[in-house]
Structures are given as C-alpha cells and as structure tokens.
Amino acid sequence: MAKIGIALGGGGVRGLAHVGVLKVLEEEGIPISCIAGASAGAIVGAAYAQTPHAKELFLRFRKTIDKFEFYEDVERTCAIEQEAGGSKESIWKQISNAVRQRVLINMVQSKSELYPIEPMVDVIKYLVKEGSIEESLIPLAIVALDLHSGNGVALTSGDVIKAVTASSSVTGYLAPVEYEGMLLTDGGSIAPVPVEYLPMLGANISIGVDITYTKSCRLSNCSIMNTVLRVDIHRSRKISELVMRLADVQIQPDVQYIHWSEFSRFEECYEAGIKAARKAIPAIREAIRIFDLNNAVTSGRKKWWQRLLSYSEDAESKEG
C-alpha cells in the first residue's frame, strides 16, 4: 500500500500555503502517512500531525495572527518603530528592517539574537500542543541545522515545542536552541524543502511543497547587506530546486514574491496553496497508480529462492 509523505518547507507567513495544500489533500481523500517539516513547515507540520484538520488549523493561524498582532504595532516594538519612522508595519517587517540598520553594530557587540525568542515560543505554544513528537497522530520529523556539526538533524522524538522552536529560529534573528548536546537553528537553512527525510519515516511516495522566496529584481544598491541578502536568496532558491527533484510530486504555490514577514497577506498564501494543490492532484493520483501497479507486479513475482526451490522440486519430480 502506498504511504504518502509530505515535506513542508520554510518561508514565514508563506507557510500558510502548506495549510491550503493539506486542506485539498483532505478533500480529495488522499491520506498523509508522514510529515517532514522545516522552519515554518515545522510549525504547520507539527500542528497538523497532532490534529489533522486543515480548516481548523487555518482558523487557529488566523486567531494567532490577531492575538499576537503580527501586523499591528505593539508597545514592545516602539524602539524599532522610531527607527522605521513610526510606520504601521508588521512586527516581523520591522524586525526585518532593523536587521539592515543594526547588523554591523550587532556584529561588533557579538549579540546572539536581534529579537528575544520568548514571543516566538508563545506563538508556537498557541498553535502546537505541548508533549512529545512521537505522540503525534501522524509520524513527524522536525528538521533543524546543528551549528556544531553543520549537519541537518531530523528530530522524531522528544519535546515537540522545543524542536519546533529550534527549527523555526530564523538564523540571525533569533538565538539558536541548545538541544541534547546540539546547537540548533532554522531548519530551512539546511533543508528548504525536507524531502530527503521522508523515506526514514516510511514514505514510498513523496510530495514536496516549495514556498521559497524568489523575488529577484535588479540590484540597484550594492551595499554589503543588500549583497549578502541577495546571495542568500539565490542560494536558497538553488538548493530548493535541487531537493525538489527528489520528490515524486512537486507543489509550488505562487507565493514566491511574498516576503516572509508580510503577515497581512496570510489569506493570499492560504489560497495559493489550495490552487497549487488542486493542480497537483492528477500527478499525485498517477504516482499512487504507478506505485500500486509496480507493487502488484513485484508481489506476484516469485523471489529468487522461491524460483530455485520450484526448479529443484520440478527436477526431483521428473527424476522420480
């Protein structure tokens, strides 16, 4: 029987596209046997693996965005507001702008983060139930980068909140997380679409959902920061293209021009996920059909030792 695994990539608010994809798969009766998630995909993947109801998950995200005022000003960001000219921007957009303004100073001061991690933990706890990863209804792998070894790590057991926090700790913005002797940061930096981790969960058909940011206009201001950010965008896009080739079915919602901090566009991301998933349904059904066909042929074919035994028995009967 086909076991379908889905890999959910990173991308901030673009992660709402994952929820749209999952909604369509539910409606089409396509069961998900396992999930691998990185960064925003780890949040969506963990929440869905615990409670596999996409519509309910979308409503929780909407309440989360309202509750934590992602696109409204709050008192604790007043310092950033002043530097940004007091404009009404999302918290994460303000943080993004602050990176450009403060990065050199922070390098000198050797700070471990630009923003405290506690608010992120509060958001994750609002979306994901506390407990262990292995308690999830759907087998789950949460992918992060270990800064000590440089390797990608797939967490399949242990504290789910801590694992998701580590995977979604945007490198340079939030401090890395110490976890069982490792120093973990954003899973999207090592596995923008964690397709490679699905086989270890038992998947024999893989779906990759790529929500990589690919905006690439002409670079008019070649400052150090703009150059570094542009290189990072191109590198992330190239890695995503390579890992998506591992997937049997590729889903790419049209969210590539939405910045990860534009939380006011969350419904647009959700709808893009729905649209892309509907287009992919024929490819998913074809992958299932081919797998079932190959499996039927293989199961009906005798193993080498069975053929050898039959040959020996036939030889003996002829001699007799």
Side-chain angles (χ1 to χ4, degrees):
M1 181 179 177
K3 292 186 177 180
I4 301 170
I6 189 165
L8 307 178
V13 71
R14 298 193 299 274
L16 268 294
H18 293 321
V19 185
V21 170
L22 292 167
K23 177 178 182 292
V24 172
L25 296 181
E26 276 183 31
E27 292 173 348
E28 295 291 331
I30 296 173
I32 297 300
S33 299
C34 56
I35 300 171
S39 200
I43 300 175
V44 174
Y48 189 79
Q50 290 177 337
T51 309
H53 300 288
K55 187 174 182 180
E56 179 184 322
L57 180 56
F58 174 72
L59 294 176
R60 289 217 309 277
F61 267 99
R62 170 179 274 167
K63 289 178 182 177
T64 302
I65 290 170
D66 291 338
K67 177 179 173 64
F68 292 94
E69 301 179 281
F70 278 105
Y71 52 93
E72 300 292 339
D73 290 329
V74 293
E75 292 181 6
R76 67 170 177 264
T77 61
C78 60
I80 298 175
E81 254 190 294
Q82 290 172 2
E83 290 191 18
S87 60
K88 290 284 181 181
E89 295 177 308
S90 75
I91 293 173
W92 294 105
K93 188 68 173 178
Q94 293 171 40
I95 295 169
S96 181
N97 290 335
V99 170
R100 295 172 179 269
Q101 299 168 16
R102 298 182 179 185
V103 66
L104 294 179
I105 296 173
N106 284 317
M107 284 180 180
V108 173
Q109 294 177 338
S110 298
K111 289 185 66 174
S112 61
E113 80 245 352
L114 289 173
Y115 197 68
I117 204 167
E118 288 76 18
M120 174 61 82
V121 176
D122 291 339
V123 171
I124 291 170
K125 285 184 177 179
Y126 194 79
L127 290 166
V128 180
K129 300 172 188 174
E130 295 188 59
S132 63
I133 299 171
E134 57 267 38
E135 291 173 343
S136 303
L137 296 180
I138 299 174
L140 171 69
I142 296 170
V143 179
L145 167 63
D146 178 16
L147 290 172
H148 291 321
S149 67
N151 296 326
V153 178
L155 304 171
T156 56
S157 63
D159 188 324
V160 68
I161 299 297
K162 195 165 186 177
V164 171
T165 301
S167 180
S168 55
S169 294
V170 184
T171 306
Y173 290 73
L174 302 171
V177 176
E178 292 186 7
Y179 189 96
E180 298 181 359
M182 298 176 288
L183 189 61
L184 303 180
T185 190
D186 191 354
S189 60
I190 191 71
V193 189
V195 179
E196 63 192 279
Y197 298 96
L198 292 175
M200 63 177 280
L201 295 172
N204 41 43
I205 294 177
S206 58
I207 299 173
V209 186
D210 181 14
I211 53 171
T212 307
Y213 184 65
T214 59
K215 184 176 181 180
S216 185
C217 55
R218 287 183 63 83
L219 187 60
S220 57
N221 178 7
C222 293
S223 66
I224 293 173
M225 195 61 218
N226 284 342
T227 303
V228 170
L229 289 174
R230 180 57 63 88
V231 168
D232 188 60
I233 288 172
H234 291 321
R235 179 172 57 238
S236 178
R237 180 177 61 191
K238 189 62 179 178
I239 294 173
S240 295
E241 288 173 359
L242 291 172
V243 296
M244 281 290 280
R245 293 177 187 174
L246 301 174
D248 295 305
V249 179
Q250 302 176 6
I251 299 179
Q252 295 174 298
D254 187 15
V255 293
Q256 66 266 35
Y257 295 118
I258 298 176
H259 191 268
W260 66 270
S261 66
E262 293 182 277
F263 282 86
S264 60
R265 301 179 70 180
F266 72 97
E267 290 196 52
E268 187 179 339
C269 296
Y270 177 66
E271 292 298 330
I274 291 174
K275 185 176 180 180
R278 284 179 178 153
K279 287 174 106 176
I281 291 300
I284 295 172
R285 295 204 185 282
E286 178 64 7
I288 294 171
R289 186 189 72 80
I290 292 172
F291 175 83
D292 288 343
L293 181 63
N294 290 339
N295 195 47
V297 170
T298 303
S299 62
R301 189 183 296 151
K302 290 183 178 181
K303 304 288 190 299
W304 67 268
W305 57 268
Q306 291 176 318
R307 294 199 302 271
L308 180 61
L309 185 59
S310 297
Y311 177 79
S312 299
E313 289 174 347
D314 289 343
E316 287 178 7
S317 62
K318 287 178 182 179
E319 289 177 2

